[in-house]
């Protein structure tokens, strides 16, 4: 197994509870007989802007067909991303797709020696509903989401299947996940490992007080 805890798409400090979840999961996996190695982040910082270009264009595919009145009904963040995607030219998008594929290929080559990759899931414990939302400043909303989820996009880029397991819990009962990713099309390995981990550290009886 490979592991890294450095955020991929944002320069953000990892919350101590998240770090503990990651470290505890590493120890649990090692106790189950898995060999774990620290690796460098498999995507360079330059990949972030390229990914955002592709993401914006994909958003525009759903917003361009809308009438002006319909656009007013969607969230400001979605509207902002769609407009950002509309501003990208065809050649720019083609170059971004090509660059994204090269970054993905490089990450897959770097991680090929490993069956599984371990990272945190989020940079902080769960936040109240709406805490990241900023309708007055969609760009700030987008940046806040990047800081909260600085690892998940890596698997969007590479096409590697990933799963989040709620192995840790804060003192006030909030779940904190760790993420495992596998090579493309190796979902069965990922699910079987998740089953092994759940058997060793079950969480099915852990739930909110009012559940």
């Amino acid at each position: 197994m490979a592991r890294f805890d450095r955020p991929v798409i944002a320069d953000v400090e990892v919350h101590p509870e998240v770090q503990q979840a990651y470290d505890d999961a590493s120890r649990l996996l090692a106790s189950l007989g898995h060999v774990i190695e620290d690796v460098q982040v498999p995507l360079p910082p330059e990949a972030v802007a390229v990914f955002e270009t592709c993401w914006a264009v994909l958003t525009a595919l759903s917003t361009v067909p809308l009438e002006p009145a319909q656009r007013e009904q969607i969230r400001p963040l979605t509207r902002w991303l769609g407009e950002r995607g509309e501003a990208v030219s065809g050649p720019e998008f083609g170059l971004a797709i090509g660059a994204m594929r090269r970054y993905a290929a490089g990450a897959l080559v770097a991680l090929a020696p490993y069956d599984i990759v371990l990272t945190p899931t989020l940079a902080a414990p769960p936040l109240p509903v709406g805490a990241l939302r900023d309708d007055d400043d969609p760009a700030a909303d987008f940046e806040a989401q990047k800081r909260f989820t600085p690892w998940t996009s890596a698997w969007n880029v590479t096409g590697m299947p990933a799963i989040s397991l709620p192995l840790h819990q804060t003192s006030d009962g909030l779940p904190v996940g760790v993420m495992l990713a596998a090579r493309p099309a190796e979902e069965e390995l990922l699910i079987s490992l998740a089953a092994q981990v759940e058997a060793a550290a079950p969480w099915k009886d852990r739930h909110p007080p009012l559940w």
Side-chain angles (χ1 to χ4, degrees):
M1 295 186 178
R3 73 168 194 167
F4 63 91
D5 59 359
R6 189 178 129 206
V8 180
I9 67 166
D11 184 13
V12 61
E13 184 175 350
V14 179
H15 192 282
E17 293 277 11
V18 172
Q19 192 65 51
Q20 182 178 340
Y22 172 81
D23 293 338
D24 288 349
S26 298
R27 284 188 286 269
L28 174 62
L29 290 164
S31 74
L32 295 173
H34 301 290
V35 178
I36 303 174
E37 297 181 11
D38 289 306
V39 298
Q40 297 297 315
V41 174
L43 291 168
E46 296 77 22
V48 177
V50 174
F51 175 75
E52 289 181 10
T53 296
C54 297
W55 192 263
V57 172
L58 291 174
T59 304
L61 293 179
S62 64
T63 58
V64 165
L66 299 179
E67 298 294 332
Q70 293 176 308
R71 287 197 181 203
E72 289 303 315
Q73 296 177 11
I74 62 177
R75 283 186 55 175
L77 173 63
T78 305
R79 191 163 58 245
W80 174 80
L81 273 173
E83 292 170 353
R84 182 175 169 180
E86 289 179 58
V88 177
S89 70
E92 285 178 308
F93 182 50
L95 290 171
I97 288 291
M100 198 79 276
R101 288 178 174 171
R102 289 190 294 274
Y103 288 133
L108 289 172
V109 169
L111 298 174
Y114 304 97
D115 299 310
I116 294 291
V117 185
L118 168 69
T119 69
T121 302
L122 303 172
L127 298 172
V129 174
L132 299 176
R133 184 168 178 171
D134 189 345
D135 289 351
D136 293 329
D137 190 347
D141 186 325
F142 189 63
E143 290 301 317
Q145 292 192 40
K146 286 167 57 179
R147 290 193 298 272
F148 191 54
T149 62
W151 292 279
T152 54
S153 296
W155 314 129
N156 291 81
V157 170
T158 62
M160 296 170 67
I163 189 169
S164 178
L165 305 181
L167 291 179
H168 182 67
Q169 190 173 30
T170 66
S171 58
D172 52 354
L174 293 175
V176 178
V178 295
M179 194 158 51
L180 301 170
R183 299 184 188 96
E186 292 194 0
E187 284 87 351
E188 78 288 348
L189 174 63
L190 191 62
I191 293 172
S192 63
L193 174 61
Q196 182 194 36
V197 172
E198 184 175 9
W203 58 79
K204 68 176 183 178
D205 295 324
R206 189 190 305 156
H207 51 76
L210 298 180
W211 192 295

